[in-house]
Amino acid sequence: MKLKSMATIWRLGIKELWSLWRDPVMLALIAFSFTVSVYTAATAVPETLHHVSIAIVDEDHSPLSQQITAAFYPPQFIAPAMISHREVDPGMDIGRYSFVLNIPPNFQRDLLAGRNAEIQINVDATRMSQAFTGNGNIQQIIQGEIDTFLRERNPVQAAPVDLVLRARFNPGLEKAWFGGLMEIINQITMLSIILTGAALIREREHGTIEHLLVMPVTPLQIMLSKVWSMSLVVLAAAALSLNGIVRGLLHVPIDGSLPLFFCGAALHLFAMTSMGTYLATLARNMPQFGMLMMLILLPLQMLSGGTTPRESMPAPVQDLMLAAPTTHFVELGQAILYRGAGFDVVWPSFLSLLIIGSIMFALSLRRFRSAINSMA
């Protein structure tokens, strides 16, 4: 590419940046996406238990039942309400309690005697996220207290093997570590489409696209200027969010190479900004562009492996999503940011993004040329 052509692409990109700077709505969207959205996604993960209401029907009144009752404490649970058996159904009917434990009479005596002992857990299954997560947590808490109680009473019968859990890459199983980083990856994908598509539609609505048609510029130069300028904005916002929100506010440690991650993000932006340009040539206005974007963006994010592991998806979906840039970006992002992987591990994802991005750019450029020629 000639130096003069590169200078033209540079000046057109600066024009795009000035246009974005004069658009307060887009600036507010960028700021919100990489600050409030990232923070809330990290701290408000729906599977996390926080101040869950629980009640206990203690018909045993033994040291073990009191030990189990004392095991439920904030911030995961509200202090347990001690109720009678006849208050269980009315309390759950009005939604006062999410969980109700019923400890039967003689529970401790039966347990020590080796007889079958049961505890009933009543769950309000209409509260889906709390029901699934809380049910497992409550069972673990109860079993842990029972094991501790039995070891204190009879150390000889203690289990000869202790199971030691070592969680790699996230020792404390902090869900904020996952939520914050994945939200940055999702916002990079979303804003790359929005900013590029909105820039093209804004020029069409303001009539500046006609000005470009009479200038000595080519569709390739116009597209490249939008790609580099909008990609620069997204990368800068992501870098500030990663260091300010994720590292600074949420205290999430990142052991991987940030330059390597942003190199992968640049390749991903190359593909997604091309997609944004293609969608903008199909839409006549911003509402149409928004509808098209939602139809494309939701499957890209939901099936990329960022929310649900790809291994749990049907095989046809896994094969189909190999053609999506989000799949490879999520894969390299998780490998670098979570596990500290180097280029020798993630190079297949880089290569896939380069190939997919080149194909999408070529298709978008062809469509953009056709749209420009129809306006000329």
Side-chain angles (χ1 to χ4, degrees), residues 287-322:
Q288 287 187 4
F289 175 73
M291 294 298 294
L292 287 173
M293 187 195 70
M294 295 305 296
L295 291 174
I296 299 296
L297 183 63
L298 288 179
L300 286 179
Q301 291 186 341
M302 294 178 64
L303 302 178
S304 64
T307 304
T308 304
R310 296 187 66 246
E311 292 77 11
S312 63
M313 302 178 189
V317 175
Q318 295 185 38
D319 296 337
L320 179 64
M321 288 304 294
L322 288 176

Side-chain angles (χ1 to χ4, degrees), residues 347-369:
W347 71 263
S349 298
F350 274 70
L351 181 60
S352 299
L353 282 175
L354 179 60
I355 295 174
I356 295 172
S358 300
I359 294 174
M360 295 184 70
F361 183 84
L363 293 175
S364 299
L365 180 60
R366 180 179 179 182
R367 174 69 189 180
F368 185 59
R369 279 199 181 110

Side-chain angles (χ1 to χ4, degrees), residues 27-45:
L27 293 177
L29 175 63
I30 295 172
F32 177 86
S33 299
F34 283 105
T35 53
V36 177
S37 183
V38 172
Y39 182 81
T40 54
T43 57
V45 181

